[in-house]
Amino acid sequence: MKNIAVIGAGTMGNGIAHTFAQSGFQVNLIDISESSLERGIATISKNLDRMVAKEKISEADKAETLGNISTFTNTESGIKNVDLVVEAATENVDLKLKIFKQLDDVCGENTILATNTSSISITQIAAVTSRPEKVIGMHFMNPVPIMKLVEIIRGYSTSDEVTKTIMELSKTLGKVPTEVNDYPGFVANRILMPMLNESIETLYNGVAGVEEIDTVMKLGMAHPMGPLQLADFIGLDVCLSILNVMYDGFKNPKYAPCPLLVNMVRAGKLGVKSGEGFYDYSESRKAEKIASQFSK
């Protein structure tokens, strides 16, 4: 397996493309937006520059990695003759189902179809294809080039052979693959998202402020990043989407998103990506300034 297609040039997609390309794979990075592809390649180049500065790789390694990536705005052209497709589009079930129908129609019968979804059912996605045994979840963590974990999610029909192949492939990327079963939120987000949601509820109920909540979790629980800062980093819209998937999937009120989270997303306060969430990122991408709404 040497030829990989990655659909989506956003944060996760360009990180996945970077990781495969740096490991020697030929990568077709696909996005319907030429500007998104340009930003994605610029991000990869910038991240490689950091690695060069830290003497983790050489300039030649950087050039080779970038040389392993080709960009496409036409999905059909980008997915021809690849061994694996990793879909990393927006966390929207209708969009993902549409993409997988197209992949199934165009890709060769032996091509494995993977999704980087963080919460949507692999079984549901696989059901729109004629090859459900070859559909699997590869949930990378952000930032992809740095984080070691890959959640490998088996759908109801995913074969043992495909699972083994993807587990071994993940290891060649320097990752630690962990196999889980297909239930809403899988493992990572089933545990993480209720914690983030409860942190937002704690703020919403006036128990403590943004900085105090994050300080308690960083210093008291040894978390490298406070939960409200982490929610901003992930994207409050993404957090809301995942919580809604879990709430719909389990019909359990403990997964219902906090009204404050819902309102912030409606107001476009999405965290780092929008410049403001629980923190104000207008001057720095670091969580150094509390958003005016929450400042005392």
Side-chain angles (χ1 to χ4, degrees):
M1 185 175 289
K2 291 297 292 181
N3 299 310
I4 312 295
V6 178
I7 297 180
T11 300
M12 297 305 294
N14 70 60
I16 294 167
H18 172 164
T19 301
F20 273 105
Q22 193 174 337
S23 297
F25 293 86
Q26 297 298 311
V27 180
N28 292 346
L29 181 59
I30 304 164
D31 200 293
I32 59 173
S33 166
E34 184 67 46
S35 61
S36 293
L37 286 169
E38 290 172 358
R39 286 194 299 271
I41 294 297
T43 297
I44 294 169
S45 182
K46 185 177 179 180
N47 289 336
L48 289 168
D49 283 337
R50 288 198 190 98
M51 298 178 77
V52 171
K54 294 178 180 179
E55 299 185 346
K56 292 184 176 181
I57 63 171
S58 66
E59 284 286 356
D61 293 329
K62 174 191 171 182
E64 183 178 352
T65 297
L66 290 173
N68 286 338
I69 304 173
S70 303
T71 59
F72 295 81
T73 54
N74 182 280
T75 301
E76 188 169 333
S77 299
I79 61 178
K80 282 184 178 178
N81 303 317
V82 298
D83 304 303
L84 168 70
V85 179
V86 182
E87 172 273 318
T90 304
E91 191 75 347
N92 177 288
V93 64
D94 293 330
L95 175 61
K96 291 186 186 295
L97 296 181
K98 180 180 178 182
I99 289 171
F100 272 78
K101 286 178 182 177
Q102 182 180 12
L103 295 178
D104 189 47
D105 289 340
V106 178
C107 291
E109 62 179 15
N110 293 321
T111 303
I112 296 173
L113 308 181
T115 174
N116 182 58
T117 180
S118 54
S119 61
I120 297 170
S121 168
I122 308 304
T123 302
Q124 181 181 7
I125 292 172
V128 302
T129 76
S130 61
R131 63 182 90 192
E133 73 285 353
K134 289 186 170 66
V135 177
I136 194 165
M138 290 185 79
H139 180 206
F140 290 85
M141 304 294 126
N142 186 27
V144 180
I146 296 172
M147 300 293 278
K148 290 291 188 182
L149 176 68
V150 184
E151 268 190 312
I152 306 299
I153 306 106
R154 294 185 66 141
Y156 189 84
S157 302
T158 307
S159 71
D160 291 341
E161 179 183 1
V162 165
T163 302
K164 181 179 178 181
T165 296
I166 296 302
M167 293 283 284
E168 292 303 316
L169 175 67
S170 300
K171 292 176 184 177
T172 69
L173 301 176
K175 303 301 185 185
V176 178
T178 303
E179 182 182 338
V180 305
N181 290 318
D182 185 22
Y183 292 96
F186 316 132
V187 170
N189 282 319
R190 182 169 181 170
I191 295 170
L192 175 63
M193 286 301 154
M195 185 195 76
L196 299 188
N197 197 43
E198 191 63 29
S199 301
I200 299 169
E201 284 277 3
T202 303
L203 176 66
Y204 179 58
N205 291 330
V207 177
V210 170
E211 186 176 11
E212 290 75 15
I213 291 168
D214 278 356
T215 298
V216 166
M217 296 306 290
K218 285 189 289 186
L219 300 186
M221 313 306 168
H223 289 197
M225 187 183 293
L228 299 176
Q229 181 187 358
L230 179 56
D232 274 355
F233 179 73
I234 293 169
L236 302 189
D237 53 337
V238 175
C239 294
L240 178 59
S241 175
I242 295 169
L243 284 164
N244 280 330
V245 167
M246 293 168 65
Y247 184 51
D248 291 342
F250 290 116
K251 300 296 189 291
N252 188 322
K254 74 178 182 179
Y255 298 115
C258 175
L260 175 58
L261 174 61
V262 174
N263 274 345
M264 290 180 71
V265 172
R266 285 174 177 166
K269 308 298 185 182
L270 309 181
V272 176
K273 70 174 78 174
S274 70
E276 184 180 333
F278 296 105
Y279 293 85
D280 183 336
Y281 303 96
S282 58
E283 298 176 3
S284 171
R285 289 176 64 87
K286 296 180 181 180
E288 297 172 332
K289 181 180 178 183
I290 307 297
S292 59
Q293 180 184 350
F294 304 111
S295 60
K296 295 177 181 178

